[in-house]
Amino acid sequence: MKAEGWRVNHKRVERIWREEGLRVPQKQKKRGRLYFNDGSCIRLRPLYKNHVWSYDFVQDRLSNGKKIRILTVIEEYTRKCLRLQVGYSLKADDVLQVLADLFLTEGIPEYIRSDNGSEFVAKSIQAFLQQIQVKTAYITPGSPWENGFNERFNGILRDELLNGEMFYTIKEAQVMVEDYRRLYNEFRPHSSLNYNPPAPMAKITQLKNRQKLTLTLDQRLGA
């Protein structure tokens, strides 16, 4: 509302929100970071664009009960959602294809963070990332908070889309999920970005950067 020029008290907005039956976000308790005794941090922090990406899976069901999977890829520094890949069964080869496409269009990260799922620790994925010189940052098993940026996005995706929409076909799910990704990147304000959407902070020069990235990718692959 502020971005559209409204001057309104946040308490009034919260009251209207409640009257419409919408869930008002609860205040979160302050949480400490994971530190060693010497003050150094366990968790790898994103310091600039394409420093750290993260990816994970979210599961949902179609109206007929059939399971679908959504691969979510986040650029942690800008908070931009790079890809939401929807399919019935996404395997390591599908993850590999998504990464290859994103490396050409978005750049090559220094690190990519994930859990230890079979799709992410597959030999084909590790070999590809090693060729491209992308370091892996696997989280400790059973510690999803170490992948906090992606886990938070997955929760938002579920709250704002998946829990409120019924998908009848896989195609419908793909279209609606992609629409949400554009909404999230281009319009939805993010509190950590001073209530701006992520996309304006993650612009790339289309033709020059694409040619440059293709050349870099070819060089790293030894082409």
Side-chain angles (χ1 to χ4, degrees), residues 83-173:
R83 180 70 66 87
L84 292 176
Q85 187 76 17
V86 183
Y88 287 119
S89 178
L90 299 175
K91 303 297 184 182
D93 288 345
D94 301 301
V95 175
L96 190 61
Q97 185 62 56
V98 168
L99 290 180
D101 292 343
L102 288 176
F103 289 167
L104 288 173
T105 58
E106 300 291 339
I108 302 172
E110 290 188 36
Y111 294 87
I112 188 159
R113 193 193 318 262
S114 72
D115 60 27
N116 293 269
S118 59
E119 299 86 359
F120 305 135
V121 300
K123 291 182 179 180
S124 58
I125 296 290
Q126 294 191 26
F128 176 70
L129 294 177
Q130 188 174 7
Q131 281 185 298
I132 304 299
Q133 300 175 23
V134 177
K135 303 179 185 70
T136 55
Y138 294 115
I139 67 174
T140 305
S143 304
W145 55 86
E146 293 182 15
N147 196 7
F149 290 102
N150 201 286
E151 289 289 337
R152 177 175 174 80
F153 173 81
N154 291 348
I156 292 172
L157 174 66
R158 189 167 295 283
D159 286 344
E160 297 184 356
L161 179 67
L162 302 182
N163 287 346
E165 295 288 347
M166 179 68 74
F167 304 129
Y168 293 94
T169 65
I170 189 69
K171 184 62 177 178
E172 181 183 19

Side-chain angles (χ1 to χ4, degrees), residues 9 15 58 81 131 185 191 194 203 210 219:
N9 187 282
R15 187 179 71 249
V58 176
C81 177
Q131 281 185 298
N185 284 339
S191 58
N194 195 27
K203 289 181 179 178
R210 190 180 181 91
Q219 290 173 341

